[in-house]
Amino acid sequence: MAKRVQFAKTGGPEVLELVDYTPAEPGASEVRVRNRAIGLNFIDTYYRSGLYPAPSMPSGVGTEGAGEVEAVGSAVTNVKVGDRVGYATGPLGAYSELHVLPAANVVKLPDAITFEQAAAVMLKGLTVQYLLRQTYNVQPGQTILWHAAAGGVGLIACQWAKALGAHLIGTVSSGAKAELAKSHGAWATIDYSHENVVERVLALTDGKKCPVVYDSVGKDTWLTSLDCTAQRGLVVSFGNASGPVDGVNLGILSQKGSLYVTRPTLFGYANTPERLQAMADDLFGMITSGKVKVEINQRFALADAAKAQTELAARRTTGSTILLP
């Protein structure tokens, strides 16, 4: 028997419940991981609320964690029992003491990376990797806009962008979060609680706007993002913190400057074991070099997962948050 957090119906954090369950034996190409730390991410709330449909009910929660391989299927060759591993691409069920998942979804952790670091950074760090290095290959000297720069993904992006020699403008909701983003490498910040984001971007870029805008907020920032993007630039919509962007008339892209828009996911980039490991190696290299530091600012017991999601949704967290079994 083991403990896991699940939900039998969609709704607010109150639908999450801690239950006893018996994890399945790994299939031929699967592994069972004993979690030592679990990542908390906004996408977890999307499944819980029903914005993203869960494959079945009751459903596990979470896609990110780190621990030791406890059992392997007969066809598994990339890891063995006792290996230290991390994972970020699911399936759902990471909010658990034990998690069974495809061996292709786990990566080996270097000795220098702790379980807590891996659980805090795998999903967020791999997201930043594909956004800055693949969705748009950010170059030295470019000025980019990143919404929610003081969040878990944003603080990694601030550091990574600075390491690339780029100028990251980060939007934040308070003076304290502005200072946090700056201390992690943001070139400039915009406090949208009292500053006009578009006007500030125009001022900071001498009217040129940004070749790429990264937007994980969604509905509330969609039009702002378009207005901050340079002609023929790219808007990268990779989250829905304020709700999904819908009802879009594609004609607005021509009106705003022949813009491009993409809606990428990690699953679309880390779609083979080889690509996943290569992306993870790039991430771990940034961490071990000191260019990216993992900020774990909140820790909750697994039993307090509902409270942790409440704090995350209310934007009362900074950096990364982990759950401890």
Side-chain angles (χ1 to χ4, degrees), residues 254-310:
S254 64
Q255 299 167 19
K256 299 293 185 179
S258 298
L259 304 182
Y260 295 86
V261 175
T262 185
R263 182 60 174 86
T265 67
L266 174 59
F267 310 103
Y269 285 85
N271 59 340
T272 69
E274 295 76 20
R275 287 181 66 92
L276 173 61
Q277 188 66 59
M279 292 166 64
D281 289 343
D282 190 15
L283 170 62
F284 295 149
M286 293 295 289
I287 295 170
T288 55
S289 70
K291 294 177 181 177
V292 169
K293 294 181 173 60
V294 182
E295 300 283 344
I296 304 173
N297 293 335
Q298 297 82 211
R299 291 173 173 83
F300 292 87
L302 179 60
D304 293 328
K307 180 180 179 181
Q309 286 199 2
T310 298

CSV table of all heavy atoms in Angstrom, one decimal, residues 254-310:
chain,number,residue,atom,x,y,z
A,254,SER,N,-2.7,39.9,-38.5
A,254,SER,CA,-2.3,40.8,-39.6
A,254,SER,C,-2.4,42.3,-39.1
A,254,SER,O,-1.5,43.1,-39.4
A,254,SER,CB,-3.1,40.6,-40.8
A,254,SER,OG,-4.5,40.9,-40.6
A,255,GLN,N,-3.4,42.6,-38.4
A,255,GLN,CA,-3.6,44.0,-37.9
A,255,GLN,C,-2.5,44.4,-37.0
A,255,GLN,O,-2.1,45.6,-36.9
A,255,GLN,CB,-4.9,44.1,-37.2
A,255,GLN,CG,-6.2,43.8,-38.0
A,255,GLN,CD,-7.4,43.6,-37.2
A,255,GLN,OE1,-7.5,44.0,-36.0
A,255,GLN,NE2,-8.4,43.0,-37.7
A,256,LYS,N,-1.9,43.4,-36.2
A,256,LYS,CA,-0.9,43.8,-35.2
A,256,LYS,C,0.5,43.7,-35.7
A,256,LYS,O,1.5,43.9,-35.0
A,256,LYS,CB,-1.0,42.8,-34.0
A,256,LYS,CG,-2.4,42.9,-33.3
A,256,LYS,CD,-2.5,44.2,-32.5
A,256,LYS,CE,-3.8,44.3,-31.7
A,256,LYS,NZ,-4.0,45.5,-31.0
A,257,GLY,N,0.6,43.3,-37.0
A,257,GLY,CA,2.0,43.3,-37.6
A,257,GLY,C,2.4,42.0,-38.2
A,257,GLY,O,3.6,41.7,-38.2
A,258,SER,N,1.5,41.3,-38.9
A,258,SER,CA,1.9,40.0,-39.5
A,258,SER,C,2.6,39.1,-38.5
A,258,SER,O,3.6,38.6,-38.8
A,258,SER,CB,2.8,40.3,-40.8
A,258,SER,OG,2.1,41.0,-41.7
A,259,LEU,N,1.9,38.9,-37.4
A,259,LEU,CA,2.6,38.2,-36.3
A,259,LEU,C,2.4,36.7,-36.4
A,259,LEU,O,1.5,36.2,-37.1
A,259,LEU,CB,2.0,38.6,-35.0
A,259,LEU,CG,2.0,40.1,-34.6
A,259,LEU,CD1,1.4,40.3,-33.2
A,259,LEU,CD2,3.4,40.6,-34.7
A,260,TYR,N,3.3,36.0,-35.8
A,260,TYR,CA,3.2,34.5,-35.6
A,260,TYR,C,2.7,34.2,-34.2
A,260,TYR,O,3.1,34.9,-33.3
A,260,TYR,CB,4.5,33.8,-35.9
A,260,TYR,CG,5.0,34.0,-37.3
A,260,TYR,CD1,5.8,35.1,-37.7
A,260,TYR,CD2,4.8,33.0,-38.3
A,260,TYR,CE1,6.3,35.3,-39.0
A,260,TYR,CE2,5.3,33.1,-39.6
A,260,TYR,CZ,6.0,34.3,-39.9
A,260,TYR,OH,6.5,34.4,-41.2
A,261,VAL,N,2.0,33.1,-34.1
A,261,VAL,CA,1.6,32.6,-32.7
A,261,VAL,C,1.8,31.1,-32.7
A,261,VAL,O,1.5,30.4,-33.7
A,261,VAL,CB,0.1,32.9,-32.4
A,261,VAL,CG1,-0.3,32.3,-31.1
A,261,VAL,CG2,-0.1,34.5,-32.4
A,262,THR,N,2.3,30.6,-31.6
A,262,THR,CA,2.4,29.2,-31.4
A,262,THR,C,1.9,28.8,-30.0
A,262,THR,O,2.0,29.6,-29.0
A,262,THR,CB,3.8,28.7,-31.5
A,262,THR,OG1,3.9,27.3,-31.5
A,262,THR,CG2,4.8,29.3,-30.5
A,263,ARG,N,1.4,27.6,-29.8
A,263,ARG,CA,0.9,27.1,-28.5
A,263,ARG,C,1.6,25.8,-28.3
A,263,ARG,O,1.1,24.7,-28.5
A,263,ARG,CB,-0.6,26.9,-28.5
A,263,ARG,CG,-1.2,26.5,-27.2
A,263,ARG,CD,-0.9,27.5,-26.1
A,263,ARG,NE,-1.6,27.1,-24.8
A,263,ARG,CZ,-1.1,26.3,-23.9
A,263,ARG,NH1,0.1,25.7,-24.1
A,263,ARG,NH2,-1.8,26.1,-22.8
A,264,PRO,N,2.9,25.9,-27.8
A,264,PRO,CA,3.7,24.6,-27.7
A,264,PRO,C,3.5,24.0,-26.3
A,264,PRO,O,2.9,24.6,-25.4
A,264,PRO,CB,5.1,25.2,-27.8
A,264,PRO,CG,5.0,26.5,-27.1
A,264,PRO,CD,3.7,27.1,-27.5
A,265,THR,N,3.9,22.7,-26.2
A,265,THR,CA,3.9,22.0,-24.9
A,265,THR,C,5.2,21.3,-24.8
A,265,THR,O,5.9,21.0,-25.9
A,265,THR,CB,2.8,21.0,-24.8
A,265,THR,OG1,2.9,20.0,-25.7
A,265,THR,CG2,1.4,21.7,-25.0
A,266,LEU,N,5.6,20.9,-23.6
A,266,LEU,CA,6.8,20.1,-23.4
A,266,LEU,C,6.7,18.8,-24.1
A,266,LEU,O,7.7,18.3,-24.7
A,266,LEU,CB,7.0,19.9,-21.9
A,266,LEU,CG,8.2,19.0,-21.5
A,266,LEU,CD1,9.5,19.5,-22.1
A,266,LEU,CD2,8.2,18.9,-20.0
A,267,PHE,N,5.5,18.2,-24.1
A,267,PHE,CA,5.3,16.9,-24.8
A,267,PHE,C,5.6,16.9,-26.3
A,267,PHE,O,5.9,15.9,-26.8
A,267,PHE,CB,3.9,16.4,-24.5
A,267,PHE,CG,3.4,16.5,-23.1
A,267,PHE,CD1,2.6,17.5,-22.6
A,267,PHE,CD2,3.9,15.6,-22.1
A,267,PHE,CE1,2.2,17.6,-21.3
A,267,PHE,CE2,3.5,15.7,-20.8
A,267,PHE,CZ,2.7,16.7,-20.4
A,268,GLY,N,5.4,18.1,-26.9
A,268,GLY,CA,5.7,18.2,-28.3
A,268,GLY,C,7.2,18.3,-28.6
A,268,GLY,O,7.6,18.1,-29.8
A,269,TYR,N,8.0,18.6,-27.6
A,269,TYR,CA,9.4,18.7,-27.8
A,269,TYR,C,10.2,17.5,-27.3
A,269,TYR,O,11.1,17.0,-27.9
A,269,TYR,CB,9.9,20.0,-27.2
A,269,TYR,CG,9.6,21.2,-28.0
A,269,TYR,CD1,8.4,21.9,-27.9
A,269,TYR,CD2,10.5,21.8,-29.0
A,269,TYR,CE1,8.0,23.0,-28.7
A,269,TYR,CE2,10.2,22.9,-29.7
A,269,TYR,CZ,8.9,23.5,-29.6
A,269,TYR,OH,8.6,24.6,-30.3
A,270,ALA,N,9.9,17.1,-26.1
A,270,ALA,CA,10.5,16.0,-25.4
A,270,ALA,C,9.7,14.7,-25.8
A,270,ALA,O,9.3,14.0,-25.0
A,270,ALA,CB,10.5,16.1,-23.9
A,271,ASN,N,9.6,14.5,-27.1
A,271,ASN,CA,8.8,13.4,-27.6
A,271,ASN,C,9.5,12.1,-27.9
A,271,ASN,O,8.9,11.2,-28.4
A,271,ASN,CB,8.0,13.9,-28.9
A,271,ASN,CG,9.0,14.3,-30.0
A,271,ASN,OD1,10.1,14.6,-29.8
A,271,ASN,ND2,8.4,14.4,-31.2
A,272,THR,N,10.8,12.0,-27.7
A,272,THR,CA,11.5,10.8,-27.7
A,272,THR,C,12.4,10.7,-26.5
A,272,THR,O,12.8,11.7,-26.0
A,272,THR,CB,12.4,10.7,-29.0
A,272,THR,OG1,13.4,11.6,-28.9
A,272,THR,CG2,11.5,10.9,-30.3
A,273,PRO,N,12.8,9.5,-26.1
A,273,PRO,CA,13.7,9.4,-25.0
A,273,PRO,C,15.0,10.2,-25.2
A,273,PRO,O,15.6,10.8,-24.3
A,273,PRO,CB,14.0,7.9,-24.8
A,273,PRO,CG,12.8,7.3,-25.4
A,273,PRO,CD,12.4,8.2,-26.5
A,274,GLU,N,15.5,10.1,-26.4
A,274,GLU,CA,16.8,10.8,-26.8
A,274,GLU,C,16.6,12.3,-26.7
A,274,GLU,O,17.5,13.0,-26.1
A,274,GLU,CB,17.2,10.4,-28.2
A,274,GLU,CG,17.5,8.9,-28.4
A,274,GLU,CD,16.3,8.0,-28.4
A,274,GLU,OE1,15.2,8.5,-28.8
A,274,GLU,OE2,16.5,6.8,-28.2
A,275,ARG,N,15.5,12.9,-27.2
A,275,ARG,CA,15.3,14.3,-27.1
A,275,ARG,C,15.2,14.7,-25.6
A,275,ARG,O,15.7,15.7,-25.2
A,275,ARG,CB,14.1,14.7,-27.9
A,275,ARG,CG,14.3,14.7,-29.4
A,275,ARG,CD,13.1,15.1,-30.1
A,275,ARG,NE,12.8,16.5,-29.9
A,275,ARG,CZ,13.2,17.5,-30.7
A,275,ARG,NH1,14.0,17.3,-31.7
A,275,ARG,NH2,12.9,18.8,-30.4
A,276,LEU,N,14.4,13.9,-24.8
A,276,LEU,CA,14.2,14.2,-23.4
A,276,LEU,C,15.5,14.3,-22.7
A,276,LEU,O,15.8,15.2,-21.9
A,276,LEU,CB,13.2,13.2,-22.8
A,276,LEU,CG,13.0,13.3,-21.3
A,276,LEU,CD1,12.5,14.7,-20.9
A,276,LEU,CD2,12.1,12.2,-20.8
A,277,GLN,N,16.4,13.3,-22.9
A,277,GLN,CA,17.6,13.2,-22.2
A,277,GLN,C,18.5,14.3,-22.6
A,277,GLN,O,19.2,14.9,-21.7
A,277,GLN,CB,18.3,11.9,-22.4
A,277,GLN,CG,19.6,11.6,-21.6
A,277,GLN,CD,19.2,11.5,-20.1
A,277,GLN,OE1,18.5,10.6,-19.7
A,277,GLN,NE2,19.8,12.4,-19.2
A,278,ALA,N,18.5,14.7,-23.9
A,278,ALA,CA,19.4,15.8,-24.3
A,278,ALA,C,18.9,17.1,-23.7
A,278,ALA,O,19.8,17.9,-23.3
A,278,ALA,CB,19.3,15.9,-25.9
A,279,MET,N,17.6,17.3,-23.7
A,279,MET,CA,17.1,18.5,-23.1
A,279,MET,C,17.5,18.6,-21.6
A,279,MET,O,17.8,19.6,-21.0
A,279,MET,CB,15.6,18.6,-23.3
A,279,MET,CG,15.2,18.9,-24.7
A,279,MET,SD,13.4,18.6,-25.0
A,279,MET,CE,12.7,19.9,-24.0
A,280,ALA,N,17.3,17.4,-20.9
A,280,ALA,CA,17.6,17.4,-19.5
A,280,ALA,C,19.1,17.6,-19.2
A,280,ALA,O,19.5,18.3,-18.3
A,280,ALA,CB,17.2,16.0,-18.9
A,281,ASP,N,20.0,17.1,-20.1
A,281,ASP,CA,21.4,17.3,-20.0
A,281,ASP,C,21.8,18.8,-20.1
A,281,ASP,O,22.6,19.3,-19.4
A,281,ASP,CB,22.2,16.5,-21.0
A,281,ASP,CG,22.1,15.0,-20.7
A,281,ASP,OD1,21.8,14.6,-19.6
A,281,ASP,OD2,22.4,14.2,-21.7
A,282,ASP,N,21.1,19.4,-21.0
A,282,ASP,CA,21.3,20.9,-21.2
A,282,ASP,C,20.9,21.6,-19.9
A,282,ASP,O,21.6,22.5,-19.4
A,282,ASP,CB,20.5,21.4,-22.4
A,282,ASP,CG,20.8,22.8,-22.8
A,282,ASP,OD1,21.9,23.3,-22.4
A,282,ASP,OD2,20.0,23.4,-23.6
A,283,LEU,N,19.7,21.2,-19.4
A,283,LEU,CA,19.3,21.9,-18.1
A,283,LEU,C,20.2,21.6,-17.0
A,283,LEU,O,20.6,22.5,-16.2
A,283,LEU,CB,17.9,21.3,-17.8
A,283,LEU,CG,17.3,21.6,-16.4
A,283,LEU,CD1,17.1,23.1,-16.2
A,283,LEU,CD2,16.0,20.9,-16.2
A,284,PHE,N,20.6,20.3,-16.8
A,284,PHE,CA,21.5,20.0,-15.7
A,284,PHE,C,22.8,20.7,-15.8
A,284,PHE,O,23.4,21.1,-14.8
A,284,PHE,CB,21.7,18.5,-15.6
A,284,PHE,CG,20.4,17.7,-15.3
A,284,PHE,CD1,20.2,16.4,-15.8
A,284,PHE,CD2,19.4,18.3,-14.5
A,284,PHE,CE1,19.1,15.7,-15.5
A,284,PHE,CE2,18.2,17.6,-14.2
A,284,PHE,CZ,18.1,16.3,-14.7
A,285,GLY,N,23.3,20.9,-17.0
A,285,GLY,CA,24.5,21.6,-17.3
A,285,GLY,C,24.4,23.0,-16.8
A,285,GLY,O,25.4,23.6,-16.3
A,286,MET,N,23.3,23.7,-17.1
A,286,MET,CA,23.1,25.1,-16.7
A,286,MET,C,23.1,25.2,-15.1
A,286,MET,O,23.6,26.1,-14.6
A,286,MET,CB,21.8,25.6,-17.2
A,286,MET,CG,21.7,25.7,-18.7
A,286,MET,SD,22.9,27.0,-19.4
A,286,MET,CE,22.1,28.5,-18.8
A,287,ILE,N,22.5,24.1,-14.5
A,287,ILE,CA,22.5,24.1,-13.0
A,287,ILE,C,23.9,23.9,-12.4
A,287,ILE,O,24.3,24.6,-11.5
A,287,ILE,CB,21.5,23.1,-12.5
A,287,ILE,CG1,20.0,23.5,-12.9
A,287,ILE,CG2,21.5,23.0,-11.0
A,287,ILE,CD1,19.0,22.4,-12.7
A,288,THR,N,24.5,22.9,-12.9
A,288,THR,CA,25.8,22.5,-12.3
A,288,THR,C,26.9,23.6,-12.6
A,288,THR,O,27.8,23.8,-11.8
A,288,THR,CB,26.3,21.2,-12.8
A,288,THR,OG1,26.4,21.2,-14.2
A,288,THR,CG2,25.4,20.1,-12.3
A,289,SER,N,26.7,24.4,-13.7
A,289,SER,CA,27.6,25.5,-14.0
A,289,SER,C,27.4,26.7,-13.1
A,289,SER,O,28.2,27.6,-13.1
A,289,SER,CB,27.5,25.9,-15.5
A,289,SER,OG,26.2,26.5,-15.7
A,290,GLY,N,26.2,26.7,-12.4
A,290,GLY,CA,25.9,27.9,-11.6
A,290,GLY,C,25.1,28.9,-12.3
A,290,GLY,O,24.7,29.9,-11.7
A,291,LYS,N,24.9,28.8,-13.6
A,291,LYS,CA,24.2,29.8,-14.4
A,291,LYS,C,22.7,29.8,-14.1
A,291,LYS,O,22.1,30.9,-14.2
A,291,LYS,CB,24.4,29.5,-15.9
A,291,LYS,CG,25.8,29.7,-16.4
A,291,LYS,CD,26.0,29.4,-17.8
A,291,LYS,CE,27.5,29.6,-18.3
A,291,LYS,NZ,27.7,29.2,-19.7
A,292,VAL,N,22.2,28.7,-13.7
A,292,VAL,CA,20.8,28.6,-13.2
A,292,VAL,C,20.7,28.0,-11.8
A,292,VAL,O,21.3,26.9,-11.6
A,292,VAL,CB,19.9,27.8,-14.2
A,292,VAL,CG1,18.5,27.5,-13.6
A,292,VAL,CG2,19.7,28.5,-15.5
A,293,LYS,N,20.2,28.7,-10.9
A,293,LYS,CA,20.0,28.2,-9.5
A,293,LYS,C,18.5,27.9,-9.3
A,293,LYS,O,17.6,28.6,-9.7
A,293,LYS,CB,20.5,29.3,-8.5
A,293,LYS,CG,22.0,29.6,-8.6
A,293,LYS,CD,22.4,30.6,-7.6
A,293,LYS,CE,23.9,30.7,-7.5
A,293,LYS,NZ,24.5,31.2,-8.8
A,294,VAL,N,18.3,26.8,-8.6
A,294,VAL,CA,17.0,26.3,-8.3
A,294,VAL,C,16.5,26.9,-7.0
A,294,VAL,O,17.1,26.7,-6.0
A,294,VAL,CB,16.9,24.8,-8.2
A,294,VAL,CG1,15.5,24.3,-8.0
A,294,VAL,CG2,17.5,24.1,-9.5
A,295,GLU,N,15.4,27.6,-7.1
A,295,GLU,CA,14.9,28.3,-5.9
A,295,GLU,C,13.6,27.6,-5.4
A,295,GLU,O,12.6,27.7,-6.0
A,295,GLU,CB,14.5,29.8,-6.3
A,295,GLU,CG,15.6,30.6,-6.8
A,295,GLU,CD,16.6,31.1,-5.7
A,295,GLU,OE1,16.1,31.0,-4.5
A,295,GLU,OE2,17.7,31.5,-6.0
A,296,ILE,N,13.8,26.8,-4.3
A,296,ILE,CA,12.7,26.1,-3.7
A,296,ILE,C,12.2,27.0,-2.5
A,296,ILE,O,12.8,27.0,-1.5
A,296,ILE,CB,13.1,24.7,-3.3
A,296,ILE,CG1,13.7,23.9,-4.4
A,296,ILE,CG2,11.9,24.0,-2.7
A,296,ILE,CD1,14.2,22.6,-4.0
A,297,ASN,N,11.2,27.7,-2.8
A,297,ASN,CA,10.8,28.7,-1.7
A,297,ASN,C,9.6,28.2,-0.9
A,297,ASN,O,9.2,28.9,0.1
A,297,ASN,CB,10.4,30.0,-2.4
A,297,ASN,CG,11.6,30.7,-3.0
A,297,ASN,OD1,12.8,30.5,-2.6
A,297,ASN,ND2,11.4,31.5,-4.0
A,298,GLN,N,9.0,27.1,-1.3
A,298,GLN,CA,7.8,26.5,-0.5
A,298,GLN,C,8.0,25.0,-0.5
A,298,GLN,O,8.2,24.4,-1.6
A,298,GLN,CB,6.5,26.9,-1.1
A,298,GLN,CG,6.2,28.4,-1.1
A,298,GLN,CD,6.8,29.2,-2.2
A,298,GLN,OE1,7.1,30.3,-2.1
A,298,GLN,NE2,7.0,28.5,-3.4
A,299,ARG,N,7.8,24.4,0.6
A,299,ARG,CA,7.7,23.0,0.8
A,299,ARG,C,6.4,22.6,1.5
A,299,ARG,O,6.1,23.2,2.6
A,299,ARG,CB,8.9,22.4,1.5
A,299,ARG,CG,10.2,22.5,0.7
A,299,ARG,CD,11.4,22.1,1.6
A,299,ARG,NE,12.7,22.0,0.9
A,299,ARG,CZ,13.5,23.1,0.6
A,299,ARG,NH1,13.1,24.3,1.0
A,299,ARG,NH2,14.6,22.9,0.0
A,300,PHE,N,5.7,21.6,1.0
A,300,PHE,CA,4.5,21.2,1.7
A,300,PHE,C,4.5,19.6,1.8
A,300,PHE,O,5.1,19.0,0.9
A,300,PHE,CB,3.2,21.5,0.8
A,300,PHE,CG,2.9,23.0,0.7
A,300,PHE,CD1,3.5,23.8,-0.2
A,300,PHE,CD2,2.0,23.6,1.6
A,300,PHE,CE1,3.2,25.1,-0.3
A,300,PHE,CE2,1.7,24.9,1.6
A,300,PHE,CZ,2.3,25.7,0.6
A,301,ALA,N,3.9,19.1,2.8
A,301,ALA,CA,3.7,17.7,2.9
A,301,ALA,C,2.7,17.2,1.8
A,301,ALA,O,1.9,18.0,1.4
A,301,ALA,CB,3.1,17.3,4.3
A,302,LEU,N,2.9,16.0,1.4
A,302,LEU,CA,2.0,15.5,0.3
A,302,LEU,C,0.5,15.6,0.7
A,302,LEU,O,-0.3,15.9,-0.1
A,302,LEU,CB,2.3,14.0,0.1
A,302,LEU,CG,1.5,13.3,-1.0
A,302,LEU,CD1,1.5,13.9,-2.3
A,302,LEU,CD2,1.9,11.8,-1.0
A,303,ALA,N,0.2,15.4,2.0
A,303,ALA,CA,-1.1,15.5,2.5
A,303,ALA,C,-1.7,16.9,2.4
A,303,ALA,O,-2.9,17.1,2.4
A,303,ALA,CB,-1.2,15.1,4.0
A,304,ASP,N,-0.8,17.9,2.2
A,304,ASP,CA,-1.3,19.3,2.1
A,304,ASP,C,-1.3,19.8,0.7
A,304,ASP,O,-1.1,21.0,0.4
A,304,ASP,CB,-0.4,20.2,3.0
A,304,ASP,CG,-0.5,19.9,4.4
A,304,ASP,OD1,-1.6,19.6,4.9
A,304,ASP,OD2,0.5,20.1,5.2
A,305,ALA,N,-1.5,18.9,-0.3
A,305,ALA,CA,-1.5,19.2,-1.7
A,305,ALA,C,-2.5,20.3,-2.0
A,305,ALA,O,-2.3,21.2,-2.8
A,305,ALA,CB,-1.6,18.0,-2.6
A,306,ALA,N,-3.7,20.2,-1.4
A,306,ALA,CA,-4.8,21.1,-1.7
A,306,ALA,C,-4.4,22.5,-1.3
A,306,ALA,O,-4.6,23.5,-2.0
A,306,ALA,CB,-6.1,20.7,-1.0
A,307,LYS,N,-3.7,22.6,-0.1
A,307,LYS,CA,-3.3,24.0,0.3
A,307,LYS,C,-2.2,24.5,-0.6
A,307,LYS,O,-2.2,25.7,-0.9
A,307,LYS,CB,-2.7,23.8,1.8
A,307,LYS,CG,-2.2,25.1,2.3
A,307,LYS,CD,-1.7,24.9,3.8
A,307,LYS,CE,-1.1,26.2,4.3
A,307,LYS,NZ,-0.6,26.0,5.7
A,308,ALA,N,-1.3,23.6,-1.0
A,308,ALA,CA,-0.2,24.0,-1.9
A,308,ALA,C,-0.8,24.6,-3.2
A,308,ALA,O,-0.4,25.6,-3.7
A,308,ALA,CB,0.7,22.9,-2.2
A,309,GLN,N,-1.8,23.9,-3.8
A,309,GLN,CA,-2.4,24.4,-5.0
A,309,GLN,C,-3.2,25.7,-4.8
A,309,GLN,O,-3.2,26.6,-5.7
A,309,GLN,CB,-3.4,23.3,-5.6
A,309,GLN,CG,-2.7,22.1,-6.3
A,309,GLN,CD,-3.6,21.3,-7.2
A,309,GLN,OE1,-4.7,21.7,-7.4
A,309,GLN,NE2,-3.0,20.3,-7.8
A,310,THR,N,-3.8,25.9,-3.7
A,310,THR,CA,-4.5,27.1,-3.4
A,310,THR,C,-3.5,28.3,-3.4
A,310,THR,O,-3.8,29.3,-3.9
A,310,THR,CB,-5.2,27.0,-2.0
A,310,THR,OG1,-6.2,26.0,-2.1
A,310,THR,CG2,-5.8,28.3,-1.6
